[in-house]
Amino acid sequence: MSVSRDKEHKRRATGGKRKQYRKKRKFLLGRPAAMTKLGGKSVHLVRTRGGNTKFRALKLETGNFAWGSENATRKTRIMSVVYNSSNNEFVRTNTLVKNSIIQVDAAPFLKFYEQHYGVSLVKKKKKEGETAEEAKKQSRHVLNTLKHRREENKLDPHLEEQFKAGRLYASISSRPGQTGRADGYILEGKELEFYLKKLQKKKEGKGKSQ
């Protein structure tokens, strides 16, 4: 059965049937949902009305994510889907849609933070025979700049915990089935707190059901 976006086959608000006055038209067609999955990149091109093109992502594993408060965007790996307000099946099957809450690899943002502020959020093992002076050789001007940045910066405790775990919560703001991309932003502040509560509630519900 084809997907149709017309209203002619629907009943009226009163419940009465509409009379059919024409056949289906090409401009009323719809297409099946892309249901983009997590995996090696696979994007199909779809020719649309007016000779335009849509990029139907069937599988994606990376995306560009913005860290709003730090004004930084990095390409990073998508790890898993953790929450979707419209359908729990999207979480189970790792389906990427707009506004899905996902976990992304924290490494690119961790590297940016260390370079920008000169502070390591995760303890690193030193190589044999390497001293602190050999590991970091920076001019006085650079050290003063980093010091000034650190004075003005305050990292969210929730984000700090996520950095230590190596995964950050993010939201997809692009439409993978239309643009062929899974781009978004890192969750912070009130929005992050909101979704952390939702995830905690979900975890507690699972515990009770078992």
Side-chain angles (χ1 to χ4, degrees), residues 127-159:
K127 291 175 185 176
E128 286 180 25
E130 188 182 43
T131 60
E133 286 176 17
E134 285 175 358
K136 284 188 180 180
K137 286 182 181 177
Q138 292 170 323
S139 66
R140 200 184 305 153
H141 173 73
V142 171
L143 290 169
N144 285 335
T145 305
L146 293 173
K147 188 184 175 185
H148 179 68
R149 283 175 184 167
R150 282 196 295 270
E151 283 169 3
E152 293 180 349
N153 175 259
K154 195 181 179 185
L155 186 66
D156 188 334
H158 291 306
L159 278 177

Side-chain angles (χ1 to χ4, degrees), residues 5-21:
R5 297 174 67 244
D6 69 300
K7 295 281 193 301
E8 289 149 25
H9 69 286
K10 294 275 192 180
R11 284 176 179 259
R12 295 192 178 93
T14 55
K17 281 189 174 180
R18 284 196 179 99
K19 273 201 171 183
Q20 187 187 353
Y21 67 95

Side-chain angles (χ1 to χ4, degrees), residues 162-181:
Q162 288 172 51
F163 272 122
K164 284 171 184 173
R167 291 181 173 208
L168 295 173
Y169 287 114
S171 176
I172 295 174
S173 56
S174 68
R175 300 165 72 196
Q178 311 290 317
T179 62
R181 299 172 67 91

Side-chain angles (χ1 to χ4, degrees), residues 105-118:
D105 186 15
F109 296 100
L110 195 62
K111 191 179 178 184
F112 157 77
Y113 194 85
E114 286 173 8
Q115 286 174 343
H116 195 70
Y117 293 104

Side-chain angles (χ1 to χ4, degrees), residues 74-140:
R74 294 290 180 274
K75 184 180 179 180
T76 186
R77 194 160 55 95
I78 299 166
M79 312 292 270
S80 64
V81 178
V82 291
Y83 182 78
N84 190 298
S85 57
S86 61
N87 195 341
N88 283 332
E89 279 296 294
F90 291 166
V91 178
R92 191 182 65 80
T93 55
N94 275 333
T95 303
L96 304 172
V97 294
K98 187 178 177 178
N99 274 78
S100 282
I101 305 305
I102 58 172
Q103 278 190 321
V104 297
D105 186 15
F109 296 100
L110 195 62
K111 191 179 178 184
F112 157 77
Y113 194 85
E114 286 173 8
Q115 286 174 343
H116 195 70
Y117 293 104
V119 177
S120 180
L121 294 170
V122 181
K123 288 179 181 179
K124 291 178 182 176
K125 289 179 182 178
K126 285 184 183 179
K127 291 175 185 176
E128 286 180 25
E130 188 182 43
T131 60
E133 286 176 17
E134 285 175 358
K136 284 188 180 180
K137 286 182 181 177
Q138 292 170 323
S139 66
R140 200 184 305 153

